[in-house]
Amino acid sequence: MWWTRKRSKSDADEAEADAEATAARAAAGVHVSQHRNAYILLGLAGGVVTAFGIAAIGGIFAPVFFALVLTICVHPLRIALEKRGVPRGLATGSVIAAVTLLLIAFGYAVLVAITQFAELLPQFKDQIIAWGQSAADWLSSIGINADELHDIASSFDPSSLIGFLGGLVGGLTGWVSILVIVFTMLLLMAMDAGFVPTLLQQLYPVRPIVAVSLVSYGSNVRRYMVVTTVLGLAQGFINWIALLIIGVPGAFIWGLLAFVCSFIPNIGYFIAIIPPIIFGGLVGGWPTVIAVIVVYGVINGVIQSVIQPRVVGKAVNLSQTITFFSVLFWAVVIGPIGAILAIPLTLLVRLLLVDTNPSMSWVRPMLGELDETKAIMAKFDADAKAARKARKAGQPAAAPNPEAAAG
C-alpha cells in the first residue's frame, strides 16, 4: 500500500541519516556506545559502593590519606637535601623529623587551647544561662512554646562542653591507634618516596598521560596545602591579635580555630566566627559583635578571596559548587577530617576519572577549568556591547555568524 511504501521510505531516510551521523562521529574520533545509559548507571552504582566502602574503613583510610598528603607536602625537602649530596637515608630521616615536629607543635597548641577553654567556660556560666533564658523569652514572645528551652537554659552546665570539645579534637587528631597509623605510614611512605622520581621516569614511556597526571596531582596538592597552611597561620595570628585588641575572651583559642577552619573551603569561615561572636557579645554586647564580624570579614575577604586565589593559581581547578559539595560529601564519608582533606580527596577522584582518561577531557570545563569558557564569554559580552552601541547610534546591528555560534 502507499502508506507502507511511504513508511518504508521514511525508515530508509532515518537509517541513512543515522549512518551519516555515525560516520561523522567516527570521522571526528567520537564513539558513542549503544549501552551508554547502562554504563552511566553502572558508574553511579560503582561510585555509591566505593563511597560506602571508604566510609566503612574510614578509621584507617583517613589517617593513611593524611599521611600521604604530608608526604607529598614535604617531598621537596627530600629533593633539596639529596641535591646537596645528603645521603638518601638521612634525607628520609630529616623529612620524617620535620613532619613529626610540625605535628607535635600543632598538638601542643591544641592542648593549650583546650586548657584555656576549660578555664574560660566556668567564668561565663551565668552569662550563658542568662542569654539562653533571654532567647527562650524572645521565642515565647513571638508565639513559640519555649518551655523546654527554659529548662535547658536553667540546667546548662558549661563544663559539659569540655568533654564534647575533647571528643571532637580526639576525632580530628585521632586516638593512639590512629596516631600509630599516621606515623607508621609516614615512615613507610617517606622511605618509598625516594623511588618515586625513578618510577615516574619508567612509567612515562609507557603511560605518559598517567605519569604527567601524577606529577601534576602532587604539585597541585602540595601548592594548595602549603599555601593554605601559611595563609591559615597568618589568618589565625591576625585574628588572635585583633581579638586581643577588641577584648574578646579566649583570643588564642579562636585564632587556632580560624587556622584549622581555613582548610575547610566555604564553610570554615562561618564555623570559626561563631565562638568569638558569642563570647564577644557576652562581654561587650553588640558593638563587640559588630567589631568581630567586621574584622573577620575583612581578614577572610583579603586572605581567602584575594591573596589565596592568586597564589594557588590553577592548582585547584574546581568550581565553587563542586568545592562546597566536596566538603559536605567527604565530611559525611570519613568524618570531620574529611572536610579538611576535601580538596586533595576530590583532586584524587579527578585524577583517577578525568586527568588520566583522554576521552574525558570534555568534562574539564564543567569541573572548573574555565579559561576557554571565560574567553568565549568575554567575546560574547563584547559582541553584545557592540550591538547595544549600534542600536543606540541607530545603526543596524551586525548579523550573527552561524559558524561562530556553532563553534
Side-chain angles (χ1 to χ4, degrees):
M1 301 294 292
W2 62 270
W3 57 81
T4 305
R5 291 194 300 271
K6 183 177 182 181
R7 183 175 181 84
S8 300
K9 184 178 180 180
S10 177
D11 291 342
D13 293 339
E14 291 180 0
E16 184 179 356
D18 291 341
E20 292 177 356
T22 303
R25 288 194 296 266
V30 178
H31 174 71
V32 179
S33 173
Q34 297 179 352
H35 307 290
R36 176 175 175 272
N37 294 339
Y39 291 152
I40 291 175
L41 292 176
L42 287 174
L44 293 175
V48 171
V49 172
T50 303
F52 274 96
I54 293 175
I57 61 171
I60 61 173
F61 178 82
V64 168
F65 188 79
F66 181 60
L68 174 63
V69 171
L70 291 177
T71 304
I72 291 174
C73 291
V74 298
H75 187 67
L77 176 60
R78 165 198 292 279
I79 300 298
L81 291 175
E82 290 182 355
K83 285 183 178 180
R84 294 178 178 272
V86 177
R88 185 175 290 111
L90 185 57
T92 300
S94 301
V95 167
I96 297 173
V99 176
T100 302
L101 290 176
L102 290 175
L103 293 178
I104 291 176
F106 177 73
Y108 177 76
V110 171
L111 290 177
V112 171
I114 293 177
T115 303
Q116 293 185 3
F117 189 68
E119 297 174 353
L120 183 67
L121 277 179
Q123 302 175 14
F124 293 91
K125 177 179 179 179
D126 297 335
Q127 291 93 325
I128 295 176
I129 292 176
W131 179 84
Q133 291 177 347
S134 300
D137 294 336
W138 177 76
L139 291 175
S140 299
S141 66
I142 61 176
I144 298 177
N145 186 7
D147 293 337
E148 295 183 359
L149 292 177
H150 273 293
D151 297 337
I152 295 175
S154 60
S155 62
F156 174 75
D157 184 7
S159 61
S160 61
L161 291 178
I162 299 176
F164 171 76
L165 181 64
L168 179 60
V169 173
L172 290 174
T173 58
W175 302 99
V176 175
S177 60
I178 294 181
L179 290 176
V180 170
I181 294 175
V182 170
F183 283 107
T184 302
M185 292 303 301
L186 183 62
L187 175 63
L188 298 176
M189 289 180 181
M191 291 188 295
D192 291 338
F195 301 99
V196 169
T198 306
L199 290 174
L200 290 175
Q201 291 179 0
Q202 291 180 296
L203 179 63
Y204 185 81
V206 183
R207 292 288 187 272
I209 296 179
V210 175
V212 172
S213 299
L214 288 173
V215 173
S216 178
Y217 173 77
S219 177
N220 292 339
V221 169
R222 181 164 49 250
R223 176 182 290 271
Y224 170 76
M225 294 300 293
V226 172
V227 169
T228 303
T229 300
V230 174
L231 294 181
L233 286 172
Q235 183 176 346
F237 179 78
I238 296 174
N239 287 337
W240 175 28
I241 301 300
L243 293 177
L244 283 176
I245 297 174
I246 296 173
V248 177
F252 175 78
I253 307 171
W254 317 135
L256 181 62
L257 180 64
F259 164 69
V260 175
C261 291
S262 65
F263 291 91
I264 307 177
N266 301 326
I267 304 176
Y269 167 75
F270 299 99
I271 298 175
I273 198 175
I274 293 175
I277 284 179
I278 294 175
F279 282 89
L282 292 176
V283 298
W286 283 107
T288 304
V289 170
I290 295 174
V292 171
I293 294 175
V294 171
V295 168
Y296 267 64
V298 171
I299 295 173
N300 179 80
V302 172
I303 292 181
Q304 295 192 0
S305 301
V306 178
I307 299 177
Q308 186 170 3
R310 293 178 180 271
V311 179
V312 174
K314 298 180 180 180
V316 183
N317 278 324
L318 298 175
S319 66
Q320 295 295 324
T321 303
I322 293 178
T323 301
F324 180 74
F325 175 76
S326 67
V327 173
L328 302 179
F329 177 82
W330 291 113
V332 171
V333 173
I334 60 175
I337 196 173
I340 297 176
L341 299 175
I343 298 300
L345 284 166
T346 305
L347 291 178
L348 177 62
V349 175
R350 171 176 171 158
L351 167 71
L352 298 175
L353 300 181
V354 178
D355 294 341
T356 56
N357 188 354
S359 63
M360 294 294 292
S361 59
W362 59 272
V363 181
R364 293 176 181 270
M366 302 180 192
L367 296 179
E369 291 190 10
L370 300 176
D371 292 342
E372 183 178 356
T373 304
K374 290 179 180 179
I376 296 175
M377 291 178 63
K379 184 179 184 305
F380 284 165
D381 293 341
D383 292 343
K385 184 177 180 180
R388 288 194 299 268
K389 288 183 178 181
R391 286 195 299 268
K392 289 182 180 179
Q395 300 175 358
N401 188 350
E403 296 182 358

